[in-house]
Amino acid sequence: MASDFEARDDDGTTAGPSPYPVDEIAAAWQRERPGTPVSSIGIVTPIWRLAKLLGDDRRRVLQRAGVDIATLDLLSVLRRSGPPYTLSTRELGRRSMVTAGAVSQRVARAEREGLVTRRPGEGRPRSVLVELTPAGHDLVESTVDQVLGREAELLQALGPAQQEQLAGLLRILLQDVQHRLGDDRITQVGGD
């Protein structure tokens, strides 16, 4: 039986390993520009491609669930905060890793849909508190397992130990790149 990385001829027989496009890219640059550093291609290109594939798949799952990525992110941050599921807009921005303007847009949209309410905060002028409504709570509860279950399914090629190892390596790489770039903001791929 052919592996997932082997090509099949028209008659269904194995034609041998199919080339990994990332290796082809690195080899082409090496051939065309000998001495050009290509080692990053084997890491950065798959990360970009995975981000695109996973982002697109998450959008499809959420579309079927009737919610957009930004709204689910807002509701999830509130839900993970624990009872009473209320945070200031400043804290929402910090935890969502988006700008104050993006938080304002997300809150306004979710409020129109009856998923959150907002009220003035206490003690700080211009402070606004955002609270998850029962409808918002229900939407998170019905959606989060769909999203995380689907993503767990997509990672099944890696065993538990491999997933833990990859998560650790990605954590190291992300923190170092953030430090080198002086940028600890993270936004969703394709998000607002």
Side-chain angles (χ1 to χ4, degrees), residues 1-45:
M1 175 178 223
S3 77
D4 292 341
F5 301 106
E6 291 180 328
R8 292 184 177 271
D9 288 333
D10 291 339
D11 64 1
T13 59
T14 302
S18 64
Y20 181 50
V22 175
D23 291 341
E24 290 180 353
I25 293 168
W29 278 120
Q30 198 67 293
R31 180 188 70 241
E32 295 299 317
R33 299 204 63 222
T36 296
V38 297
S39 62
S40 65
I41 292 172
I43 296 169
V44 175
T45 300

Side-chain angles (χ1 to χ4, degrees), residues 10-82:
D10 291 339
D11 64 1
T13 59
T14 302
S18 64
Y20 181 50
V22 175
D23 291 341
E24 290 180 353
I25 293 168
W29 278 120
Q30 198 67 293
R31 180 188 70 241
E32 295 299 317
R33 299 204 63 222
T36 296
V38 297
S39 62
S40 65
I41 292 172
I43 296 169
V44 175
T45 300
I47 288 173
W48 275 107
R49 289 182 175 191
L50 281 167
K52 170 84 169 95
L53 290 168
L54 294 171
D56 289 350
D57 190 73
R58 180 178 272 200
R59 276 186 283 285
R60 285 189 295 272
V61 169
L62 293 176
Q63 185 176 24
R64 286 191 297 271
V67 65
D68 63 85
I69 290 174
T71 299
L72 183 62
D73 184 47
L74 169 71
L75 301 180
S76 295
V77 169
L78 287 166
R79 175 63 178 90
R80 290 191 312 263
S81 72

Side-chain angles (χ1 to χ4, degrees), residues 75 110 113-116 132-143:
L75 301 180
E113 295 173 11
L115 304 172
V116 300
L132 195 60
T133 66
H137 189 277
D138 290 347
L139 182 59
V140 171
E141 295 298 304
S142 68
T143 307

Side-chain angles (χ1 to χ4, degrees), residues 68-101:
D68 63 85
I69 290 174
T71 299
L72 183 62
D73 184 47
L74 169 71
L75 301 180
S76 295
V77 169
L78 287 166
R79 175 63 178 90
R80 290 191 312 263
S81 72
Y85 311 114
T86 303
L87 293 171
S88 69
T89 52
R90 171 175 271 174
E91 185 62 17
L92 282 168
R94 188 187 72 74
R95 292 186 188 192
S96 296
M97 295 176 268
V98 297
T99 65

Side-chain angles (χ1 to χ4, degrees), residues 60-181:
R60 285 189 295 272
V61 169
L62 293 176
Q63 185 176 24
R64 286 191 297 271
V67 65
D68 63 85
I69 290 174
T71 299
L72 183 62
D73 184 47
L74 169 71
L75 301 180
S76 295
V77 169
L78 287 166
R79 175 63 178 90
R80 290 191 312 263
S81 72
Y85 311 114
T86 303
L87 293 171
S88 69
T89 52
R90 171 175 271 174
E91 185 62 17
L92 282 168
R94 188 187 72 74
R95 292 186 188 192
S96 296
M97 295 176 268
V98 297
T99 65
V103 169
S104 180
Q105 290 176 359
R106 290 176 179 194
V107 169
R109 184 169 50 240
E111 188 175 41
R112 282 192 305 272
E113 295 173 11
L115 304 172
V116 300
T117 59
R118 58 180 151 178
R119 65 179 190 275
E122 298 169 10
R124 291 187 62 179
R126 297 181 3 185
S127 173
V128 176
L129 296 176
V130 180
E131 183 175 359
L132 195 60
T133 66
H137 189 277
D138 290 347
L139 182 59
V140 171
E141 295 298 304
S142 68
T143 307
V144 72
D145 286 343
Q146 291 176 55
V147 171
L148 297 180
R150 173 63 176 163
E151 290 173 355
E153 181 184 305
L154 293 173
L155 297 178
Q156 286 180 346
L158 301 177
Q162 290 172 312
Q163 289 184 29
E164 188 174 330
Q165 181 183 18
L166 180 58
L169 292 171
L170 289 171
R171 180 181 307 112
I172 291 166
L173 181 61
L174 176 60
Q175 289 174 340
D176 184 64
V177 170
Q178 287 176 312
H179 175 75
R180 288 172 185 268
L181 298 177

